[in-house]
Each structure stands twice: as structure tokens, then as C-alpha cells.
Amino acid sequence: MVTMPTDPTHRRAAGVLLHASALPGGTLAGAPRFIDWLARAGQSWWQVLPLGPPDEFGSPYAGASAFAGWPGLLGQPGAPVSEEERDDLRSACAYWIDDWERHAGPGALDDQVRFAREWGAVRAYAAERGVGIMGDVPFYVAAGSADHCAHPGLFLDDVVAGVPPDDFSADGQLWGNPPYDWRAMASDGYRWWVERLRRAAQLADAVRIDHFRGFAAWWAVPAGATTATRGEWRPGPGEALFRRLAEEGPDLGLIAEDLGIITPDVVALIERLGLPGIRVLQYAFNDDPYNPHRLENHQPRAMVVTGTHDNDTIAGWWGDQPGWVRDRALIEVASWGVHEAEPHRGMVRLALASPAGLAVIPAQDLLGLGSEARFNTPGTTRGNWSWRLPEGALDDELADWLGRATDHADRRPLD
């Protein structure tokens, strides 16, 4: 087994998912008040989505850089920058900052200084209050991104990325990202990935790695195809990349996003690496006794969520379920000693009751919001990533309720 860095599920803890762009006002200016609320509510983690510049549709998973922070998050976008700060950032971010300046143009360096200043202050404020930051590392980069342009030899140009047809999509999903040339990456010791995780450690205490199955095998679709049906599975780097990360990478907790088409080779890789996976309550109520999302199958080394940023809110999901699913969910909630009049609160407390070491709840689910507050609908480009937390919505009463629920589930932060 490859010895990986700190496991964020090593003790029972809880957190909240709220992307930085969803803070009131859409900037980091709202972060301290949110962190104060997390601390009052007994939460140990704030989970965010990727912090890089989003694409034209607002998606942080198809951004212009795998390294740069998004200036759109700045609370003080015009703040002055000193030459000393510029020199410090060039030193700390030497691997990628020149590439980003060439890609983003004048002012790019100063914006990254401002981002480092503001996000650094957010991290320090959170640490003082016992709140860790969980970041997010997308598997692929966007076509035409700074990374793709600066390192064309690390990518293939005859195929594009996607996922094959399944029960949810007859055509599969054609993402169109440039896939990695894993042989080329191996030839220089996977340096791009090592540097990417070093950058992630500058921004977060732990990270969720999106589409983790791509490290075992990935779906290659011929360039120019209009659907993902004619693709093929090709091998990923497997343990070799993670051996390199264990040798040279930062001390950064990793969680494998193991959702979607998960085959035995993916499960075996995650087990060999000893990484936590993700369990989603919205997938927990079918007849399969081996379903990994059912609570009786949760392991301590896992992160449980009511839903991800790609799911409907728990209230929206509940309203769409047939009666037998609701009945089964209510029986499950009661069997774990949870009694709440409102279904969304019952599901939140069910997640907290899970044997999984870490439970993370989207802010929308704490508020009981419906589908209008959904953050993203996969396979669509319009109307996503725009939800914002209303000012004052996370009040003291809700913090105290969540704190009591967290205590009851034995997830209160250590003193």
C-alpha cells in the first residue's frame, strides 16, 4: 500500500459545503461571518469547489487554469500590491505563474497576489476557529486553458474525454476535455501533478479529487465525435502517480470521488491507496444489499453527504421520490434513532449518524431549500452555478440546532 498523507476521516467530524462564489455577495468578504457560523455550529470543515477562474457558464470544473485563483472572488479587487508581494508570489508559485501571466494578460500577477492575500487571510481565520478547508481538484483541465497551452506535450489531441453510456444517458457524456498523455507525464516523474497538488496544499487542508476513476481507466472518445458512444477505456497511471505524490507531494489529505461507473479496478486502486471514498444518501435507498451508499455499508474511512454539488437539493430530491423510497428513507432515519418532523432535517441527521468518519452537508440542505437552489445539473450549461446564500439565512437558531445534532452524532470538534 502506498502511504498517503493525512486522512481527513481519521476522526468523526462534520462540515458544510458552500462554494466561495455562493457566499453572500459572491466574494470572500463574506467568509469570516460564515466561518464564525461554522464554529458556532460545531463544524470542523468548510468544503469548497475549485477556486480557479470558471468558464463562460460559471463552471469551476472547466476553468482557465488548474493553478490560478479566480479574481472574481476578491472582496477588494483594486487593493494595492507591493513589489515585495509580487516577488514572494513568483517564488511560491514559480511553476505556473509565468504561464498564467501569458494566458491572462496584464494585471494577472497582481490579481494572484490579491487572491493569495485574501484567501490566506480566510484560511488563517478558519484555522484560528478550528475549521479546516476542504478543496476540490478537477480531474481534467479545459481545452485552451493555460495548462493546455503551456504544456501541449502532456495532452493527447486525437481523442477527448467523457464517460460512456449508462442508465442515465444513452449517449454517454461528451466532456471534450483534452486527455492526459500518461506516458509523457510519467517520463518527467508526473511533475505537473506533483505541482498541482502542491498548489492545492497552498489553498486547502484536504481535497476531494473529482472523477477519481480516471486514475484507473478513462473513457477516450475520438476527436470530432458528436456523442460519447464510440469511446473506449484506456488505462490511467494507477499507483505509479500516487507513489510519486507520496514521495514528493505535500502533506495534503485526499478524498477519492468514487461516484459514477465504478468498476472493480477502481475499487482495488482506492483500497490499495487507503483513500476515503464518498457516500451519497440520495443513492442509499434501493434493494441492493451491497449498495455502498446504504448506511449499513458505510465504513469509517469515508465521507458521507446528503448530496453533492451535482445533485438536486435534498428537499427537491424528496419531492421527486416515489412513496416507497420516502417510506424506506423514513424507516431508515428512525432506525438510527433520529426523529425530526421535517424530512430534510431527518436526512441531515441521518448523514451525521453514519459510521463514515466525515459528514458534509450542503448549505442548501441545512436550509431545506428546494430545486430552485440546486447548484448544478450535469449535462446542462445554462442556469447553473448561480445560487447565492441569502444574507442572514444561516442564523443562530440553525447553528444551535446543527451543533446539537453534531454533538448527538459524536462529531463535535476536539478542544
Side-chain angles (χ1 to χ4, degrees), residues 264-278:
D265 57 327
V266 183
V267 175
L269 176 61
I270 292 173
E271 289 180 350
R272 288 197 302 272
L273 296 174
L275 294 178
I278 296 177

Side-chain angles (χ1 to χ4, degrees), residues 96-321:
W96 60 270
I97 189 60
D98 289 345
D99 299 334
W100 177 242
E101 281 192 275
R102 283 191 291 271
H103 187 87
L109 175 62
D110 284 2
D111 278 341
Q112 293 309 301
V113 170
R114 296 182 185 104
F115 185 87
R117 181 195 297 157
E118 291 197 21
W119 187 248
V122 167
R123 284 199 68 189
Y125 191 85
E128 290 172 0
R129 283 149 185 79
V131 176
I133 303 294
M134 180 175 294
D136 197 310
V137 174
F139 184 75
Y140 289 115
V141 302
S145 65
D147 312 283
H148 188 207
C149 294
H151 306 281
L154 298 180
F155 300 89
L156 301 173
D157 57 13
D158 60 333
V159 290
V160 296
V163 290
D166 56 22
D167 292 341
F168 302 101
S169 174
D171 292 330
Q173 294 182 41
L174 185 62
W175 294 339
N177 305 77
Y180 302 112
D181 184 335
W182 288 114
R183 288 186 180 180
M185 287 199 157
S187 68
D188 73 347
Y190 299 103
R191 188 184 175 203
W192 185 86
W193 271 98
V194 170
E195 295 293 342
R196 190 179 190 191
L197 268 293
R198 283 180 179 160
R199 174 57 173 165
Q202 292 176 340
L203 303 176
D205 304 293
V207 293
R208 165 193 179 275
I209 300 185
D210 194 50
H211 193 59
F212 192 89
R213 73 140 301 114
F215 293 110
W218 56 279
W219 189 247
V221 182
T226 56
T227 73
T229 56
R230 293 195 301 114
E232 63 176 7
W233 289 111
R234 295 188 184 181
E239 281 188 60
L241 169 60
F242 292 92
R243 283 197 296 269
R244 191 65 172 175
L245 290 174
E247 293 167 358
E248 287 198 38
D251 184 12
L252 178 69
L254 306 179
I255 291 180
E257 187 269 293
D258 53 347
L259 307 175
I261 301 175
I262 302 302
T263 48
D265 57 327
V266 183
V267 175
L269 176 61
I270 292 173
E271 289 180 350
R272 288 197 302 272
L273 296 174
L275 294 178
I278 296 177
R279 305 294 172 255
V280 183
L281 287 195
Q282 291 186 27
Y283 305 152
F285 306 106
N286 63 18
D287 293 322
D288 179 5
Y290 302 105
N291 175 1
H293 302 285
R294 291 175 64 140
L295 259 74
E296 64 265 30
N297 295 329
H298 291 189
Q299 300 296 320
R301 183 171 283 182
M303 180 173 93
V304 61
V305 299
T306 48
T308 74
H309 64 274
D310 284 333
N311 291 110
D312 200 350
T313 66
I314 204 69
W317 170 85
W318 186 268
D320 284 342
Q321 298 310 298

